Amino acid sequence: MSFIDEKELQDNLKEVEAKICAACERSGRKREEVTLIAVSKTKPSEMVQTLYNEGVRDFGENKVQEIIAKAPILPKDIKWHMIGHLQRNKVKQVVDKACLIHSVDSLRLAEEIEKEADKHNLVVPILLEVNIAGEESKFGMTKKEALDLVVLLSQFRHIAVKGLMTIAPNVENSEENRPIFHDLKQLSVDIINKNIDNISMDVLSMGMTNDYEVAIEEGATIVRVGTGIFGTRYYG
């Protein structure tokens, strides 16, 4: 397998950064309102270190074992985001390592996080994953399920709901996903209007390599960019 070289990695980051800035400008937002997560799944720690040296601090992984492998050998101030589907039997391995779990898609998973966080005396920040597009191949709740779940999670002492996440369809034209992002933003507004104790909707994690500019225009506070920075994935 081959990875892109350091210069190409740096150039890709600059290009993504420029596009984020342009999208913020178009939508009348400040650059600091949007966090870039470099999605480092399947990529070696050396590439993470290169981006760290360029100022990136937020990295996303799809698998618990990649966080476990990379975190001990990389700078301690890196913020690791768990963005992939999280199995309940893996929660105990990541609950004290991820700064934010993006992919909570059921009450049973939330209960497992609550149980393990209690053992560590932690309050774990989470996002609720909503399958806005209703794709059968994707994880995530319906909007109705999310609305119901936030009421239950407001009673949990070791979970802090910070907002919502979605994975939009893989489309050629990013404009096709604009309604998806708009709907997630509207769902967050609907939840805010319910004034539920202990529930925050400050975070909208939406938009990936092919559509993050549109997502920013629709209110994303986190974009998850992998291929656009690291180049093509290797699944060996």
Side-chain angles (χ1 to χ4, degrees):
M1 65 179 162
S2 62
F3 298 110
I4 63 174
D5 63 26
E6 187 172 313
K7 173 145 192 338
E8 193 173 349
L9 193 57
Q10 292 164 337
D11 288 346
N12 286 350
L13 177 62
K14 285 174 187 168
E15 184 179 346
V16 169
E17 182 61 40
K19 288 179 177 178
I20 291 174
C21 288
C24 286
E25 193 169 335
R26 285 195 300 274
S27 48
R29 302 178 65 193
K30 295 177 181 174
R31 171 63 187 89
E32 52 266 30
E33 292 176 36
V34 180
T35 298
L36 168 63
I37 293 179
V39 179
S40 45
K41 62 179 183 180
T42 78
K43 300 300 182 182
S45 55
E46 292 82 0
M47 295 180 84
V48 175
Q49 183 67 55
T50 295
L51 291 174
Y52 178 91
N53 295 344
E54 296 296 314
V56 179
R57 292 295 179 271
D58 292 86
F59 291 87
E61 292 290 351
N62 270 41
K63 295 186 175 179
V64 170
Q65 56 263 41
E66 288 212 53
I67 294 179
I68 291 170
K70 291 172 184 173
I73 58 175
L74 284 158
K76 298 296 179 245
D77 61 334
I78 284 178
K79 298 172 186 171
W80 294 102
H81 295 254
M82 181 62 202
I83 62 174
H85 179 64
L86 180 57
Q87 296 169 300
R88 294 197 308 281
N89 64 353
K90 297 284 180 68
V91 167
K92 60 179 173 289
Q93 296 175 272
V94 79
V95 74
D96 60 338
K97 296 177 181 68
C99 71
L100 182 62
I101 298 174
H102 290 232
S103 47
V104 176
D105 59 1
S106 70
L107 176 59
R108 290 177 73 194
L109 177 56
E111 287 172 336
E112 190 66 28
I113 295 170
E114 172 75 11
K115 184 179 83 175
E116 293 298 332
D118 186 14
K119 292 178 186 176
H120 289 272
N121 196 27
L122 292 172
V123 176
V124 177
I126 68 165
L127 304 179
L128 302 184
E129 182 174 357
V130 187
N131 187 351
I132 292 283
E135 289 186 284
E136 288 186 11
S137 62
K138 299 269 175 70
F139 292 103
M141 296 172 279
T142 65
K143 290 190 278 189
K144 171 71 165 58
E145 287 168 339
L147 284 164
D148 291 342
L149 187 56
V150 288
V151 175
L152 297 174
L153 296 188
S154 68
Q155 306 300 315
F156 285 31
R157 293 175 51 241
H158 297 279
I159 280 178
V161 178
K162 296 296 185 184
L164 306 173
M165 181 269 244
T166 198
I167 299 174
N170 187 13
V171 293
E172 291 282 323
N173 179 4
S174 59
E175 283 296 329
E176 292 178 42
N177 282 337
R178 191 178 292 277
I180 304 290
F181 301 140
H182 182 81
D183 279 1
L184 192 73
K185 173 67 174 177
Q186 185 57 52
L187 178 60
S188 74
V189 172
D190 293 344
I191 292 171
I192 290 167
N193 288 339
K194 288 181 176 292
N195 291 317
I196 306 167
D197 287 344
N198 303 320
I199 299 293
S200 165
M201 284 289 123
D202 292 340
V203 178
L204 281 182
S205 174
M206 58 187 193
M208 301 195 297
T209 291
N210 291 334
D211 55 20
Y212 64 88
E213 295 168 83
V214 171
I216 290 168
E217 291 169 3
E218 292 298 327
T221 68
I222 289 177
V223 292
R224 311 179 304 269
V225 181
T227 306
I229 296 173
F230 288 97
T232 307
R233 298 267 165 238
Y234 172 80
Y235 295 100

